[in-house]
Amino acid sequence: MSKQTKFESYREMPIRAMTVDNMLWNETGSWRNVKPVYDNKVSPCIYGCPAGENIQHYIQLVIDRKYKEAWETIIETNPMPAVTGRVCSHPCMDKCTRGDYDETVNINAIERALGDMGLDNPEWMTKPEKSKKEKIAVVGSGPAGLTSAFYLARTGYSVTLYEAGETLGGVLRWGIPEYRLPDSVLDRVVEFILSSGKIKVEAGTTVGKDIEFKKLRNNFDAVFLGVGLMKSRQLGIPNEDCKGVEPGLDYLRKVNSGQVSSSSDKAVVIGGGNTAMDVARSALRKGSDVTVVYRRTRTEMPAIASEIEEAEKEGIKFRFLASPKDIVTDGDKLSKVIFQEMELGEPDETGRRSPVPLEGKTFTMDVDRLFTAIGEKGDLDGFKSEVDTEWELIKVKGEFGETGKKKIFAGGDIVTGAASVVEAVAAGRRAAEKIDRVFNNEKDPPIEQEIDFGIENINTDYFPKSKRVLKPRIPASEAIKGFEEIFKGFDEQMLQKEADRCFSCGVCNYCDNCWIYCPDASIIRKDDEYEIDFDFCKGCLVCVEECPRSALSIEEEGK
């Protein structure tokens, strides 16, 4: 084949259009001024997942019934899909392009199904082939600590995991009721993570009390702090320490450890976050008549929307635009609560409209028990002098958990304040990867910029509209009778049906449309990819037009 003649400047070009050489370098002659190129993109759902799970890829593997490979794809970035598949707020689904067409893909349920498959197939877990000499201490066994320990152990490091409680799991165990995350599932997840490599567990050991922090700093090559938020914030009103007033986290600990008996009292929960929903729904199951009081409106509630909806279905009452002003006691026991009515003012630093008291407008409720769930704070006893802190949280530099002190890293709620489980998972993994890079003197990876991708990039002619497959559940009327897990998992038929709804946004899934529709037969179909024979491609771009998912792009000829 001859070579293409290229001109370096206009002075080398003929003065009029004419043939100056043969065109055997390109058998389609001069027809083409643009050409198609295969150009896989990052699907929007992946940008939406704080852990960066390759959601598009594992769903395609599910469609191919390659379940082990799909599970392996998830645990590259998240070691506990059986947990996040149950309790995650699934921000990935907010990014799902299908939501602008009919209904978002039920990514959460697919993730849970794969997570449960992993637990049922422990042989899928592989251990590191080589051990590394450095030793790392991980403090806290919540989602950030467990995740950090997992990725460090899989990389070959020896990890010692310190936990103040007698069992592992942290907030996953004592802060989330069993109707959302059964202990039996969490036990298997913990066992799975401990089997990933060399992880020594020191349960019942409080750093700063049972072992000095400086001993960790001296005996280990790196320390990761993932201790979470252990204390409830106080209301700051009179009589808050009387009998009948209890921090929501303390109540959840008692419920989850079987220390709460049934009662038929009148309970009020103060707050609008996930802890408030968990406390309210747990108290309801223990027989209380429960009202949630929140100082803003439902729109501003930070709790997961589906958790609020479930609370309503179960019979929880809500009173909005109200805040406790005073607690009235009968002796040393709670009797009534006086509430201040509120209205919404200007947006605050979070973007939510601030609650403003309505002067002179109050109301009183008879209350037997008052649970506070207005936020949590860190317990920095034992290492506060070892790290920089602010607002009772640990300050870090950048996104990989480096503190201002050499060898000390941190992540999860103790850094960000109360956040989601998947955000803690992401922080634990990022810190583990950073620790590995520090030991190997490697640079941080570049930050990937999100690209715009929407329903306008999908050729919807190829996708019939369909309803999302929902997880089976027990009715709300049955759910409130106990702590049985409400939502059940997909069977294989449901899993396949829901996975098949994925658009595979921007990523070729070898549907053959380009190969079938190319009028020049210039698409070459191989085992797992296509090639374009540009000797025959005229640049008609039919392949680009007929690609259902924008996996082909247009490139100007000669560039």
Side-chain angles (χ1 to χ4, degrees):
M1 181 184 296
S2 64
K3 293 184 179 178
Q4 181 181 6
T5 299
K6 293 185 177 179
F7 300 109
E8 298 299 328
S9 75
Y10 72 92
R11 293 185 177 86
E12 299 175 5
M13 297 179 182
I15 59 173
R16 64 177 61 87
M18 60 181 292
T19 301
V20 296
D21 208 338
N22 70 63
M23 287 298 297
L24 291 178
W25 62 272
N26 183 343
E27 298 184 15
T28 60
S30 58
W31 279 39
R32 193 178 65 222
N33 59 2
V34 291
K35 62 183 179 183
V37 291
Y38 288 98
D39 177 30
N40 281 338
K41 304 163 184 70
V42 177
S43 301
C45 53
I46 299 173
Y47 288 122
C49 175
E53 289 183 14
N54 194 340
I55 296 165
Q56 175 277 331
H57 186 53
Y58 73 65
I59 290 181
Q60 292 306 305
L61 289 167
V62 166
I63 293 171
D64 294 337
R65 288 183 163 74
K66 294 180 178 178
Y67 300 127
K68 178 174 180 286
E69 290 83 353
W71 173 83
E72 288 172 337
T73 300
I74 294 183
I75 67 161
E76 286 175 5
T77 52
N78 173 8
M80 51 181 75
V83 170
T84 50
R86 286 173 165 81
V87 304
C88 184
S89 58
H90 38 77
C92 54
M93 290 169 62
D94 295 337
K95 292 271 189 177
C96 179
T97 310
R98 186 124 200 171
D100 292 324
Y101 183 56
D102 46 26
E103 292 182 310
T104 58
V105 175
N106 200 341
I107 299 169
N108 197 234
I110 295 172
E111 180 189 43
R112 169 179 167 165
L114 290 171
D116 287 351
M117 284 185 194
L119 297 180
D120 292 337
N121 294 276
E123 71 279 5
W124 288 358
M125 171 62 73
T126 57
K127 295 196 174 186
E129 296 179 357
K130 294 182 180 178
S131 297
K132 299 193 176 184
K133 66 179 187 300
E134 291 90 351
K135 298 183 300 179
I136 297 142
V138 172
V139 184
S141 71
L146 285 173
T147 300
S148 181
F150 175 82
Y151 288 107
L152 289 165
R154 273 174 69 88
T155 312
Y157 296 107
S158 294
V159 177
T160 301
L161 179 58
Y162 292 92
E163 165 58 44
E166 295 298 329
T167 53
L168 303 187
V171 69
L172 299 174
R173 186 174 298 282
W174 55 258
I176 300 179
E178 285 214 67
Y179 58 79
R180 293 177 60 202
L181 177 61
D183 277 353
S184 57
V185 174
L186 181 58
D187 288 342
R188 296 174 73 195
V189 170
V190 169
E191 183 181 351
F192 161 82
I193 288 174
L194 297 181
S195 71
S196 63
K198 291 182 180 177
I199 302 178
K200 177 185 177 185
V201 174
E202 294 286 351
T205 304
T206 302
V207 173
K209 178 182 174 185
D210 301 310
I211 182 171
E212 292 185 21
F213 186 85
K214 67 179 182 182
K215 191 172 182 180
L216 301 188
R217 193 182 57 215
N218 293 336
N219 292 350
F220 292 90
D221 297 287
V223 179
F224 175 76
L225 296 170
V227 294
L229 304 177
M230 306 292 286
K231 295 181 177 178
S232 292
R233 294 191 181 278
Q234 292 188 305
L235 297 171
I237 60 176
N239 296 325
E240 146 170 45
D241 55 351
C242 72
K243 288 181 181 177
V245 180
E246 184 172 10
L249 286 181
D250 291 357
Y251 180 71
L252 288 175
R253 278 193 184 90
K254 292 177 184 174
V255 169
N256 288 339
S257 58
Q259 299 179 41
V260 176
S261 55
S262 298
S263 60
S264 57
D265 52 17
K266 190 171 184 178
V268 167
V269 180
I270 307 298
N274 291 322
T275 299
M277 295 303 101
D278 288 340
V279 170
R281 296 173 70 190
S282 294
L284 181 77
R285 282 161 171 75
K286 288 295 182 181
S288 297
D289 176 16
V290 184
T291 301
V292 172
V293 178
Y294 180 54
R295 59 182 182 158
R296 293 184 170 96
T297 71
R298 175 170 175 158
T299 304
E300 289 81 26
M301 287 181 73
I304 299 171
S306 59
E307 295 301 314
I308 302 171
E309 292 166 7
E310 287 297 319
E312 287 181 320
K313 285 180 187 175
E314 292 176 356
I316 302 290
K317 296 185 284 293
F318 288 84
R319 176 70 189 252
F320 297 108
L321 292 170
S323 179
K325 182 179 182 180
D326 199 0
I327 292 172
V328 179
T329 59
D330 181 4
D332 61 349
K333 191 176 183 309
L334 168 67
S335 172
K336 302 175 188 295
V337 179
I338 301 171
F339 290 92
Q340 171 70 59
E341 293 193 27
M342 316 291 280
E343 64 178 350
L344 293 181
E346 296 298 316
D348 61 15
E349 65 278 2
T350 68
R352 296 180 299 169
R353 294 179 66 187
S354 300
V356 179
L358 277 171
E359 195 64 34
K361 291 198 172 183
T362 61
F363 64 93
T364 303
M365 293 176 66
D366 293 331
V367 181
D368 298 308
R369 286 196 296 171
L370 183 72
F371 298 111
T372 59
I374 58 170
E376 295 80 35
K377 58 184 180 181
D379 184 355
L380 301 172
D381 291 348
F383 50 84
K384 189 169 186 176
S385 61
E386 303 286 345
V387 291
D388 295 328
T389 62
E390 185 176 38
W391 303 105
E392 297 178 271
L393 302 172
I394 297 176
K395 289 176 66 176
V396 299
K397 301 183 297 182
E399 60 177 314
F400 301 110
E402 310 107 295
T403 67
K405 302 297 174 65
K406 189 177 180 182
K407 302 197 325 185
I408 302 174
F409 299 79
D413 286 359
I414 194 62
V415 170
T416 60
S420 66
V421 170
V422 70
E423 287 172 297
V425 165
R429 195 196 77 243
R430 284 197 298 266
E433 292 171 346
K434 176 64 181 180
I435 291 169
D436 183 52
R437 287 196 297 274
V438 169
F439 290 153
N440 292 289
N441 198 27
E442 296 175 352
K443 292 182 179 179
D444 293 332
I447 298 174
E448 193 170 359
Q449 297 297 317
E450 183 173 350
I451 61 169
D452 290 330
F453 193 101
I455 190 65
E456 67 278 6
N457 299 109
I458 297 294
N459 189 338
T460 54
D461 289 344
Y462 291 100
F463 299 99
K465 292 201 172 186
S466 62
K467 292 280 188 183
R468 179 169 57 214
V469 180
L470 300 176
K471 287 179 286 190
R473 61 165 299 162
I474 56 175
S477 57
E478 290 295 319
I480 61 174
K481 295 178 181 176
F483 285 80
E484 180 185 353
E485 187 174 20
I486 296 172
F487 291 96
K488 311 302 178 185
F490 277 173
D491 60 25
E492 186 170 9
Q493 184 181 10
M494 299 166 78
L495 178 62
Q496 284 294 322
K497 186 176 180 181
E498 187 58 11
D500 204 42
R501 294 181 66 243
C502 176
F503 284 158
S504 186
C505 296
V507 182
C508 177
N509 68 348
Y510 314 110
C511 69
D512 281 348
N513 262 24
C514 54
W515 179 65
I516 292 168
Y517 284 105
C518 178
D520 299 321
S522 61
I523 303 289
I524 302 168
R525 187 173 185 270
K526 297 189 171 182
D527 288 343
D528 57 356
E529 63 179 350
Y530 302 102
E531 282 185 5
I532 301 173
D533 187 343
F534 288 108
D535 277 344
F536 297 96
C537 173
K538 297 188 183 70
C540 69
L541 304 180
V542 169
C543 55
V544 177
E545 187 69 22
E546 295 304 322
C547 177
R549 47 193 53 84
S550 289
L552 280 153
S553 297
I554 301 170
E555 195 172 277
E556 194 172 338
E557 196 62 65
K559 291 191 175 178

